[in-house]
């Protein structure tokens, strides 16, 4: 319900009372100055099966003072004592495409399971589960850190998410964002319909974050939204299980560069090379800024929040790979744009995003209003 950026001040106070402040932060907001380039996913696809590993994966980061274990049901994010907030996120970002999470949410009054996409300039896309809500999940989005009146969430139906695994999918393009459960669309946000006349539509390169935290802490102001007060100590450990995460990246690149401070996807450039060219010549002096889910201590106010890959030589082939890989039987599918980026042998290895992907919804749940399944496709976004 609440943006993760609301945690910025709360986390500072939380650190006084707890050393367990799981959070995703950035040391530089590119809308406020020149920042190092974002490390990108240089492949069109990425997949990790947490049921097959024992050690923490090298291309993810674990929040300080937190613990995530791995077992036959995948990654285990557990709330076992007050202030536990296990959070892990990818060391890379991707830029439009699809993400699939196979998840069983944690039970427990006030305990929140989250799958979040978050960018350095505070764009955000959420799946959130309340431990005591056994028939719904929440969807949400934020742009550039603006929360509006916290009226953007929806609560699609899903049966027993704390006892059953489901596949939760985000199909994300410049024109639309679709949340799906087991291949059936439960929400569509057209970019033009986002708050701020579309300006708050999430459109910047995102990292993927998985987290569990306690909104029902006895001293927290988030109890009402979280569903009530969590018994402290909890009567049993509450665990969120994540079997796998899959990513299809529409715009593979070693680095993503914000060419200006507009926050528009049109300003993002794809940069080649193994080293960040900006890092070699400049560093940021900005104060680190909280981006995502944090501690659920007394003052916490946040409610937001191996490896298989193949290299991709171009944006178009990435979009084609994504389209071919997606399930043709239903849900949201990504159709490639055929526009290509001109390249010459002497051209610098930096390119503006010239083509991305469109979202095609082929089925919706029975109670889903304004289902776009009858639309052949949304118009693809191209940059002149």
């Amino acid at each position: 319900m609440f943006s993760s950026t609301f945690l910025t001040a709360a986390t500072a106070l939380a650190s006084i009372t707890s050393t367990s402040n799981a959070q995703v932060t950035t040391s530089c907001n590119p809308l406020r100055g020149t920042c190092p380039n974002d490390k990108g996913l240089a492949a069109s696809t990425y997949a990790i099966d947490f049921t097959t590993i024992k050690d923490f994966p090298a291309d993810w980061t674990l929040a300080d003072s937190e613990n995530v274990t791995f077992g036959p049901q995948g990654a285990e994010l557990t709330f076992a004592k007050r202030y536990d907030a296990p959070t892990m996120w990818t060391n890379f970002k991707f830029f439009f495409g699809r993400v699939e999470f196979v998840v069983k949410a944690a039970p427990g009054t006030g305990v929140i399971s989250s799958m979040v996409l978050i960018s350095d300039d505070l764009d955000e896309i959420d799946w959130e589960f309340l431990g005591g809500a056994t028939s719904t999940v929440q969807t949400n989005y934020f742009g550039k850190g603006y929360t509006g009146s916290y009226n953007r969430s929806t609560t699609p139906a899903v049966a027993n998410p704390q006892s059953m695994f489901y596949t939760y999918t985000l199909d994300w393009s410049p024109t639309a964002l679709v949340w799906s459960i087991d291949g059936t669309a439960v929400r569509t946000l057209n970019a033009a319909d986002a708050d701020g006349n579309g300006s708050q539509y999430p459109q910047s390169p995102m990292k993927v974050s998985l987290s569990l935290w306690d909104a029902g802490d006895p001293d927290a102001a988030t109890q009402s939204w979280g569903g009530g007060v969590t018994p402290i100590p909890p009567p049993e450990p509450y665990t969120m299980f994540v079997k796998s995460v899959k990513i299809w990246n529409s715009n593979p690149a070693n680095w993503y560069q914000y060419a200006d401070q507009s926050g528009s996807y049109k300003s993002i450039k794809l940069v080649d090379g193994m080293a960040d060219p900006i890092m070699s010549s400049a560093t940021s002096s900005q104060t680190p800024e909280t981006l995502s889910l944090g501690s659920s201590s007394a003052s916490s106010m946040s409610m937001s929040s191996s490896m298989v890959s193949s290299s991709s030589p171009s944006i178009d082939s990435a979009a084609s790979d994504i389209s071919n890989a997606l399930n043709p039987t239903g849900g949201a599918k990504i159709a490639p744009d055929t526009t290509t980026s001109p390249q010459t042998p002497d051209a610098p290895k930096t390119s503006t995003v010239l083509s991305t992907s469109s979202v095609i919804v082929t089925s919706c749940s029975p109670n889903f209003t304004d289902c776009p399944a009858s639309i052949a496709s949304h118009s693809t976004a191209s940059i002149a």
Side-chain angles (χ1 to χ4, degrees):
M1 178 180 177
F2 283 89
S3 167
S4 60
T5 59
F6 195 76
L7 248 186
T8 305
T11 302
L13 182 57
S15 65
I16 299 174
T17 58
S18 172
T19 59
S20 177
N21 294 308
Q23 57 191 345
V24 179
T25 62
T26 180
S27 59
C28 191
N29 185 329
L31 303 190
R32 299 183 180 180
T34 301
C35 296
N37 291 335
D38 277 336
K39 176 63 179 174
L41 176 60
S44 60
T45 60
Y46 169 93
I48 183 165
D49 182 353
F50 292 118
T51 69
T52 65
I53 66 176
K54 298 299 181 184
D55 299 322
F56 195 86
D59 45 3
W60 291 70
T61 295
L62 179 64
D64 290 345
S65 303
E66 298 297 342
N67 186 44
V68 172
T69 56
F70 302 92
Q73 296 190 77
E76 302 167 349
L77 288 74
T78 298
F79 177 80
K81 63 183 185 302
R82 194 177 191 186
Y83 305 134
D84 278 353
T87 304
M88 56 187 290
W89 58 90
T90 57
N91 297 337
F92 57 83
K93 294 182 173 68
F94 77 106
F95 188 26
F96 295 124
R98 162 181 273 210
V99 186
E100 288 184 356
F101 308 90
V102 180
V103 169
K104 181 166 64 175
T109 300
V111 177
I112 310 300
S113 305
S114 298
M115 299 95 79
V116 176
L117 307 186
I118 192 86
S119 74
D120 280 353
D121 65 353
L122 308 182
D123 284 350
E124 183 177 335
I125 305 169
D126 300 345
W127 286 105
E128 293 179 300
F129 303 83
L130 279 60
T134 59
S135 60
T136 58
V137 60
Q138 290 195 8
T139 74
N140 218 335
Y141 78 95
F142 301 96
K144 309 301 180 272
Y146 294 102
T147 62
S149 57
Y150 294 105
N151 60 344
R152 304 174 185 178
S153 65
T154 68
T155 53
V158 57
N160 303 312
Q162 294 83 9
S163 60
M164 297 176 61
F165 281 98
Y166 290 91
T167 300
Y168 300 92
T169 303
L170 295 168
D171 284 295
W172 175 45
S173 84
T175 55
L177 173 60
V178 180
W179 290 257
S180 302
I181 302 175
D182 281 354
T184 299
V186 295
R187 180 183 186 181
T188 296
L189 172 69
N190 292 315
D193 298 330
D195 283 7
N197 294 319
S199 65
Q200 292 178 40
Y201 181 77
Q203 57 194 280
S204 305
M206 299 273 201
K207 65 176 65 174
V208 177
S209 177
L210 307 171
S211 49
L212 185 72
W213 63 285
D214 182 23
D217 185 273
D219 295 325
T222 54
Q223 294 171 6
S224 177
W225 172 78
V229 179
T230 304
I232 299 296
E236 60 180 318
Y238 298 130
T239 301
M240 168 190 182
F241 295 96
V242 184
K243 278 188 176 180
S244 62
V245 174
K246 296 179 182 179
I247 302 171
W248 289 263
N249 188 11
S250 292
N251 297 292
N254 285 314
W255 307 95
Y256 297 118
Q257 181 184 95
Y258 288 76
D260 56 36
Q261 295 181 3
S262 67
S264 167
Y265 74 89
K266 296 180 180 181
S267 72
I268 304 298
K269 295 189 179 293
L270 313 185
V271 181
D272 239 347
M274 296 305 294
D276 181 359
I278 290 184
M279 283 292 288
S280 63
S281 60
T283 58
S284 168
S285 61
Q286 292 186 24
T287 301
E289 186 170 358
T290 299
L291 284 183
S292 191
L293 231 4
S295 167
S296 57
S297 71
S299 59
S300 176
M301 293 294 292
S302 171
M303 297 186 186
S304 129
S305 93
S306 151
M307 293 56 90
V308 179
S309 65
S310 62
S311 61
S312 174
S314 70
I315 295 170
D316 298 308
S317 63
S320 178
D321 289 344
I322 295 167
S323 180
N324 293 336
L326 300 185
N327 185 351
T329 60
K333 298 165 62 180
I334 297 180
D337 189 342
T338 57
T339 308
T340 58
S341 173
Q343 298 289 332
T344 64
D346 298 325
K349 293 188 177 181
T350 300
S351 61
T352 302
V353 179
L354 295 182
S355 66
T356 51
S357 58
S358 60
V359 172
I360 302 173
V361 178
T362 57
S363 66
C364 297
S365 59
N367 296 327
F368 185 72
T369 59
D370 300 323
C371 178
S374 61
I375 301 175
S377 66
H378 296 288
S379 59
T380 56
S382 299
I383 300 172

